[in-house]
Amino acid sequence: MKPFDTILVANRGEIACRVIRSARALGYRSVAVYSDADAGAPHAQAADLALRIGPAEAAQSYLSIPAVIAAAKAAGAGAVHPGYGFLSENDAFARACAEAGLVFIGPPAAAIAAMGNKAAAKRRMIAAGVPCVPGYEGEDQSDAALLREAKRIGLPLMVKAAAGGGGRGMRLVTEAAALPGAIAAARSEAENAFGSGELILEKAVTGGRHVEIQVFADSHGNVVHLGERDCSVQRRHQKVLEEAPSPAVDAALREKMGVAAVAAARAIAYVGAGTVEFLLDADGKSFYFLEMNTRLQVEHPVTEAVTGLDLVALQIRIAAGEALPFAQAGVTLTGHAIEARLYAEAPAQGFLPQSGLLAAWQPPAGDGIRVDHGLRAGQTVTPFYDPMIAKVIAHGATREEARRRLMLALERTVALGIATNRAFLLDLLAHPDFAAGRATTQFIPQHFAAPAAPQPDSHLLALAALLWFEASAAAQGHDPARAWYSGGGFTWPLRLEYGETRHMAGVAVTGPDRYRIGDAEIAVRGRAPGRLQAAIDGTERAVDYVFAGDVLHLACGRADLAVRETLHAPPGAAEGAAERELRAPMNGRIVAVLAAEGESVTRGQRIVIMEAMKMQHELVARCDATVEKLPVRVGDQVATRQLLAALAPLATEQDRAP
């Protein structure tokens, strides 16, 4: 192996920070790359050197092989670590690194290519004797062939993009009538995400678990597995909670799955870190190959926690030509670990990804707690990349201890300014089925199909009113803590709005740092930047908060709240604007325009499809209407709240009645 002393990390965010940390611990210099959207980002600041590689769009920066190779040469790097996502499973990138004289910290290009296409990989695994889900992975991609094979396989079945992952280009079909639309949608999404519309079909295994095996191989012929991870808790086929070991796997099953995973790795002459994903049937005994991820996984920290190994350091050592420092017998699992993915998304709005200013960020700490992130307060979460912003990991002697620690850590996580799934994660962890280790791939669809927006309690609303009152008083030059007199004072009215709810509140100052809000008596106990401690009717509460523009963001325990004070705000948009206007829910790119100006459309009809944070979002007509304006075209970059279409609702029979 060619020696190297400098590693370029071809990624961003938390995984770039993670790789830099291990590289530095081994004595390697690190080089970061960044797009225009990530200028000044923590991962760029963490490295010894950082180079710009292009504009915000991933295709012109993090996915640009020439740009990454040029940066490595300019920085004098001898090796490249791809992280996960982006170019990590791109065989052309691995070959380009080799041709440029760079060590690729990952598997050989041939191994990536062998597993990069789900159809080809599945055929190879069948030949190697690895159990696979019954399905269709043939070359005939005509609609007729897919419909014919689907009938043979039977429902329910999965339609999957052969070239990708991460839940994109994937559809579950439970009714025959929905199959043609699922094929068309999956193919379109796959072409946009991966540049290939090739599909495979698989029998949907209901009530099963997503269990994956971590494998490691060196260039000396040694291959081991490091046990399993259970990744069953998913939404839209994307993982949310992961744990090691799996509560459904005993020692005997672990050995069988490990042997199959090692066989899969040997079948493609694998080198480095990889993950073989299986679907464990509801019987708890049968398992089937799904795919192999030829890279480091997002969820690798739970394996690190239970094995005591640094997987990134192992990757680097193997890439440098070293042999694995242990055999299979030397792998031991200690305790239990659970990871929660913190996403910038709104679960109550169909898990809609969010972008915007992260006004406050404070990761939790404590025994057994680890947080992987690349964040800082005041950073903008952009719409150009994946919405996962951090990972919170808890390790304990038992699964229950790890679960409790993770819940407490999430309660102490402060991420304000944009909506996150923090409260949703706490609901998942608190559910009896998860607590008992019974969660399957249907856990979220069965129990959290339509998550409700968390509602603030009266205490949090009272503290929001207090903070808005103090902000208003301070803006007018008054000290709100002393705006009182012995004869009593007037009550200051406020109208708080959060979501679709309006709440009237009145604040009266009853003494220094003492207030009455409604029937509640509040005494302020302590203040710090962004934090308020108070006693409400004798109950001590602490709230983290930040003002961002005209919005107050608060976090208290399990609850997050974004609230405006609107008593004196100008009137909102005219009633019915939501029906007449389709606006972008976030920054993104237009990938389809499905109507024309002057065209009549019906309620529910798709008008525009935009892509943001690796997902497609369909904007549909909310009523029967005529398209008045359609100011966007395919390929346009649009900003949050930008007008995409203006509709003129058609008169109904009721409207026409005298």
Side-chain angles (χ1 to χ4, degrees):
M1 295 290 181
K2 182 180 179 180
F4 56 88
D5 58 16
T6 301
I7 299 172
L8 181 138
V9 184
N11 218 297
R12 63 179 299 278
E14 67 89 10
I15 189 56
C17 293
R18 166 75 188 88
V19 173
I20 290 168
R21 189 165 61 247
S22 284
R24 181 167 291 141
L26 291 174
Y28 291 97
R29 293 178 67 250
S30 60
V31 179
V33 293
Y34 64 90
S35 71
D36 288 344
D38 283 335
H43 80 271
Q45 296 179 338
D48 297 299
L49 179 67
L51 299 177
R52 177 189 179 275
I53 54 170
E57 292 77 9
Q60 300 176 57
S61 52
Y62 298 107
L63 286 172
S64 172
I65 294 176
V68 174
I69 297 294
K73 289 182 176 180
V80 174
H81 194 301
Y84 57 73
F86 293 131
L87 295 170
S88 62
E89 293 181 284
N90 188 310
D91 59 296
F93 179 54
R95 283 194 298 272
C97 286
E99 292 168 359
L102 300 167
V103 174
F104 181 72
I105 303 178
I112 298 175
M115 288 299 186
N117 180 284
K118 287 185 174 67
K122 191 172 178 182
R123 291 192 291 266
R124 188 181 291 266
M125 291 299 100
I126 292 172
V130 178
C132 294
V133 180
Y136 173 72
E137 53 281 338
E139 295 181 0
D140 188 345
Q141 290 289 299
S142 66
D143 286 358
L146 293 174
L147 291 170
R148 181 179 65 250
E149 291 298 322
K151 185 176 181 181
R152 176 184 62 81
I153 297 166
L155 298 176
L157 63 78
M158 297 297 301
V159 180
K160 293 183 177 181
R168 293 176 292 280
M170 185 181 297
R171 296 292 188 278
L172 172 65
V173 180
T174 58
E175 298 178 358
L179 183 59
I183 290 173
R187 182 178 284 134
S188 172
E189 193 168 271
E191 287 173 345
N192 281 312
F194 314 116
S196 170
E198 184 181 359
L199 302 175
I200 66 172
L201 306 177
E202 288 183 343
K203 180 71 175 177
V205 179
T206 57
R209 290 177 181 260
H210 185 128
V211 179
E212 60 190 30
I213 301 291
Q214 175 74 63
V215 295
F216 254 95
D218 61 27
S219 56
H220 303 275
N222 303 305
V223 186
V224 300
H225 72 83
L226 305 181
E228 82 283 356
R229 297 184 287 258
D230 196 313
C231 309
S232 300
V233 181
Q234 305 176 7
R235 52 99 178 102
R236 289 193 306 221
H237 309 295
Q238 291 184 316
K239 301 164 186 174
V240 180
L241 298 177
E242 301 104 342
E243 58 183 308
S246 167
V249 174
D250 58 20
L253 181 58
R254 180 175 300 117
E255 182 177 0
K256 290 180 181 178
M257 298 182 79
V259 167
V262 168
R266 288 192 183 280
I268 58 171
Y270 200 78
V271 176
T275 299
V276 183
E277 301 196 348
F278 294 103
L279 191 60
L280 180 63
D281 209 342
D283 63 12
K285 300 176 182 178
S286 305
F287 58 92
Y288 308 99
F289 172 83
L290 287 176
E291 63 180 325
M292 183 175 184
N293 292 305
T294 53
R295 54 171 168 79
L296 193 70
Q297 291 282 88
V298 174
E299 58 271 21
H300 76 275
V302 294
T303 297
E304 292 185 324
V306 298
T307 62
L309 299 170
D310 183 330
L311 302 195
V312 174
L314 269 180
Q315 285 185 296
I316 296 172
R317 291 184 184 280
I318 288 171
E322 296 183 25
L324 281 167
F326 51 83
Q328 188 63 60
V331 178
T332 58
L333 308 181
T334 303
H336 201 99
I338 308 175
E339 173 181 287
R341 299 190 186 192
L342 188 68
Y343 284 97
E345 66 181 13
Q349 299 176 37
F351 301 100
L352 183 70
Q354 304 291 295
S355 59
L357 180 69
L358 183 66
W361 166 247
Q362 181 61 53
D367 291 342
I369 299 302
R370 164 180 166 181
V371 182
D372 284 11
H373 70 92
L375 301 172
R376 58 174 171 76
Q379 180 179 349
T380 297
V381 176
T382 77
F384 300 104
Y385 316 116
D386 191 272
M388 192 194 77
I389 57 175
K391 304 179 308 199
V392 183
I393 306 102
H395 180 242
T398 65
R399 183 176 187 272
E400 178 58 18
E401 182 175 85
R403 187 184 73 91
R404 289 196 308 267
R405 282 179 168 176
L406 183 54
M407 292 186 69
L408 188 59
L410 286 168
E411 288 179 1
R412 294 176 176 175
T413 298
V414 179
L416 298 175
I418 55 174
T420 73
N421 67 334
R422 189 177 72 93
F424 177 67
L425 291 170
L426 285 162
D427 288 342
L428 297 179
L429 291 163
H431 194 279
D433 279 358
F434 183 84
R438 295 193 297 264
T440 71
T441 55
Q442 294 303 303
F443 175 66
I444 289 180
Q446 285 178 351
H447 302 293
F448 299 92
Q455 296 299 308
D457 61 25
S458 60
H459 284 187
L460 187 56
L461 284 173
L463 293 175
L466 169 57
L467 288 165
W468 265 119
F469 165 72
E470 291 190 337
S472 300
Q476 298 178 34
H478 302 297
D479 180 356
R482 312 222 183 286
W484 68 285
Y485 56 94
S486 58
F490 67 91
T491 298
W492 183 267
L494 299 168
R495 182 173 63 201
L496 307 182
E497 292 191 4
Y498 52 96
E500 302 298 322
T501 303
R502 290 184 177 182
H503 173 76
M504 297 301 299
V507 180
V509 181
T510 60
D513 278 331
R514 302 186 69 87
Y515 304 87
R516 181 183 300 111
I517 301 177
D519 296 329
E521 297 288 342
I522 300 177
V524 175
R525 302 296 196 196
R527 300 175 187 273
R531 188 170 178 84
L532 178 73
Q533 291 179 292
I536 306 176
D537 293 333
T539 300
E540 298 286 340
R541 299 289 296 267
V543 61
D544 294 286
Y545 69 93
V546 64
F547 284 92
D550 63 344
V551 182
L552 168 64
H553 299 271
L554 306 96
C556 183
R558 297 191 179 196
D560 289 337
L561 180 64
V563 58
R564 289 179 170 85
E565 200 292 303
T566 61
L567 187 61
H568 305 292
E575 187 178 353
E579 286 192 347
R580 298 196 300 269
E581 298 177 349
L582 299 183
R583 293 184 176 273
M586 67 190 73
N587 295 358
R589 181 174 65 90
I590 302 300
V591 297
V593 177
L594 305 175
E597 291 185 359
E599 180 181 340
S600 295
V601 295
T602 59
R603 177 185 174 89
Q605 183 174 334
R606 297 182 301 168
I607 308 299
V608 174
I609 301 177
M610 62 175 288
E611 186 176 72
M613 288 184 165
K614 298 185 180 181
M615 297 178 59
Q616 290 189 358
H617 307 274
E618 298 180 348
L619 286 303
V620 304
R622 299 185 181 92
C623 62
D624 295 347
T626 299
V627 180
E628 281 190 332
K629 294 180 181 179
L630 201 57
V632 293
R633 298 292 180 265
V634 173
D636 286 357
Q637 294 290 334
V638 296
T640 302
R641 299 296 299 159
Q642 182 174 329
L643 181 69
L644 306 184
L647 308 178
L650 298 177
T652 64
E653 291 300 324
Q654 183 176 357
D655 295 332
R656 297 188 187 98

